[in-house]
């Protein structure tokens, strides 16, 4: 008999069972979930673009002209003008020779890693990397070497000791559970010295970091050269700060062409709906025009951090909208999240083994659509819940 019940029961017993909630409202600071209203601190819609009228209009208009489904894969007739326009605009924006659109960031990571390396090659990965990077490496059949979080000494040793074959160093740009940023300058330098490719997954940095919102690569002055020189390839998602859906990889002509030719999660799947590409294009334009969103977000991050400091709420070092409040125990993290939920605040507990045992936390995310008053409410509730041990 094909039995799954004991496996599910084990998950339940060890407190790892996950439950979905159903929203009765669009993304936003105020959400309705299972019929109750909450002030939300768990969305990746960092700039508040998911419900922006320009995006909604662009999507509706494009659907009117192009229909809903792309109807085929990109290589077999599904690639259309709206896709092409978005790719052109993104490549100009990123300063890379070319970009390639994907239906999701997960698929982009699978395609990139599995088509650029294979047996006999090595993928070096930060221990805190996103699951999709780990899965991409597994699919590639290259050897996976992980290094302790942001530890450049270990990475340097790994790169020096590896011989033969191609090497990729893959890292999150902004780490999704910790909110800190990869030491990109150092990683890139090590890659240049060792003829390795730096592959950066900037799902949480794109449209949030950098003067114009180019993300973590904005900190690299030679970025365009690194792209065209084949030292740097970056992946950004359109479903987080851009409020839309999809992802893209930016890099050299040759890298992108390789992904088109060999990326199985690019080739063997239906193209993104054109209307989604149009919405993403509108989002890119709004993001570029409305720099105030990024500025406001960063001032809210400051405000939150200062408030935590004043109230003795323990945070990790993070300058991004991902602000983990450290709890240090699964049951307590869940209890604190539950307490906040009773007070109408939506915050998720991140438990081990998703994060290391002892570093269980609440993952708070801020958005440009929050106001300081919203953050005040959260800060007071957090301080109280932590004092009560989350047992209220
Ligand atoms: C969300 C995320 C992805 C996946 O992107 P999707 O477009 O949601 O599939 C990949 N990497 C990181 C670091 C992410 O946070």
């Amino acid at each position: 008999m094909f039995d799954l019940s004991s496996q599910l029961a084990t998950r339940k017993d060890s407190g790892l069972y996950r439950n979905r909630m159903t929203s009765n409202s669009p993304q936003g600071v105020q959400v309705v979930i299972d019929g109750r209203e909450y002030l939300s601190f768990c969305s990746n819609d960092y700039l508040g673009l998911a419900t922006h009228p320009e995006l909604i209009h662009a999507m509706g208009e494009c659907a009117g002209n192009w229909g809903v489904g792309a109807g085929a894969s990109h290589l077999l007739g599904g690639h259309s003008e709206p896709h092409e326009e978005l790719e052109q605009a993104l490549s100009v924006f990123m300063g890379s020779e070319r970009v390639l659109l994907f239906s999701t960031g997960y698929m982009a990571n699978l395609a990139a890693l599995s088509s650029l390396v294979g047996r006999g090659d090595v993928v070096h990965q930060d221990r805190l990397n996103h699951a999709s990077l780990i899965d991409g490496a597994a699919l590639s059949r290259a050897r996976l070497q992980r290094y302790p979080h942001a530890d450049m000494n270990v990475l340097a040793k790994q790169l020096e000791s590896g011989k033969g074959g191609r090497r990729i160093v893959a890292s999150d740009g902004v780490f999704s559970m910790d909110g800190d940023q990869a030491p990109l300058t150092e990683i890139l330098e090590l890659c240049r010295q060792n003829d390795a490719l730096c592959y950066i997954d900037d799902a949480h940095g794109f449209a949030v970091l950098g003067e114009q919102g180019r993300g973590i690569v904005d900190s690299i002055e030679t970025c365009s050269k690194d792209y065209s020189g084949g030292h740097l390839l970056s992946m950004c998602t359109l479903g987080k700060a851009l409020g839309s859906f999809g992802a893209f990889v930016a890099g050299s002509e040759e890298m992108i062409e390789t992904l088109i030719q060999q990326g199985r999660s690019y080739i063997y799947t239906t193209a993104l709906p054109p209307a989604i590409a149009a919405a993403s294009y509108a989002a890119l334009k709004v993001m570029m025009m409305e720099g105030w969103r990024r500025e406001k977000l960063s001032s809210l991050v400051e405000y939150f951090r200062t408030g935590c400091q004043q109230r003795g709420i323990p945070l990790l070092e993070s300058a991004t909208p991902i602000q983990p409040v450290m709890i240090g125990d699964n049951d307590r993290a869940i209890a604190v999240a539950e307490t906040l939920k009773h007070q109408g605040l939506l915050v998720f507990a991140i438990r081990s083994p998703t994060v290391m045992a002892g570093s269980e936390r609440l993952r708070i995310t801020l958005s440009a659509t929050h106001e300081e008053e919203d953050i005040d409410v959260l800060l007071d509730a957090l301080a109280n819940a932590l004092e009560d041990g989350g047992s209220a």
Side-chain angles (χ1 to χ4, degrees), residues 145-218:
Q145 276 204 302
R146 303 181 83 174
Y147 55 89
H149 182 46
D151 191 330
M152 293 297 100
N153 293 324
V154 173
L155 175 61
K157 285 203 187 93
Q158 287 181 357
L159 282 167
E160 281 155 22
S161 67
K163 304 183 239 321
R166 282 187 282 226
R167 271 136 358 130
I168 294 183
V169 178
S171 175
D172 282 20
V174 172
F175 288 87
S176 51
M177 294 299 144
D178 288 42
D180 60 335
Q181 295 163 50
L184 181 56
T185 309
E186 289 90 337
I187 294 176
L188 200 49
E189 185 54 34
L190 284 172
C191 285
R192 289 195 204 101
Q193 286 165 8
N194 292 280
D195 294 321
L197 168 67
C198 169
Y199 183 77
I200 203 87
D201 171 344
D202 206 19
H204 294 279
F206 181 66
V208 168
L209 300 176
E211 189 98 8
Q212 263 80 48
R214 275 193 302 160
I216 193 167
V217 296
D218 206 56

Side-chain angles (χ1 to χ4, degrees), residues 73-75 79-80 82-92 94 96-105 107-113 115-116 199 227 233-238 245-269 271-272 277:
S73 66
H74 280 281
L75 294 181
H79 188 70
S80 61
H83 298 119
E84 193 59 32
E85 268 175 12
L86 176 60
E87 286 185 348
Q88 303 279 350
L90 284 169
S91 102
V92 170
M94 295 303 285
S96 65
E97 286 178 1
R98 204 170 166 192
V99 316
L100 186 65
L101 266 184
F102 282 86
S103 293
T104 69
M107 291 161 79
N109 282 342
L110 293 190
L113 293 177
S115 58
L116 298 173
Y199 183 77
Y227 277 132
L233 192 64
S234 69
M235 193 288 284
C236 302
T237 59
L238 305 168
F245 185 76
F248 66 90
V249 174
S252 70
E253 188 66 44
E254 200 174 80
M255 295 264 176
I256 297 302
E257 201 53 48
T258 303
L259 300 195
I260 295 176
Q261 302 303 322
Q262 306 192 53
R264 293 167 69 86
S265 57
Y266 182 75
I267 300 167
Y268 298 107
T269 193
L272 195 72

Side-chain angles (χ1 to χ4, degrees), residues 95-134:
S96 65
E97 286 178 1
R98 204 170 166 192
V99 316
L100 186 65
L101 266 184
F102 282 86
S103 293
T104 69
Y106 188 94
M107 291 161 79
N109 282 342
L110 293 190
L113 293 177
S114 69
S115 58
L116 298 173
V117 285
R119 267 203 184 88
D121 300 330
V122 186
V123 181
H124 303 266
Q125 297 215 22
D126 190 291
R127 210 180 279 286
L128 296 191
N129 274 356
H130 191 260
S132 54
L133 288 170
I134 305 297

Side-chain angles (χ1 to χ4, degrees), residues 325-343:
V325 171
M326 303 311 279
I327 309 282
D329 172 273
N330 272 349
D331 292 341
R332 185 150 181 265
I334 293 165
V336 174
E338 245 344 272
T339 303
L340 294 175
K341 197 172 169 200
H342 281 302
Q343 296 169 20

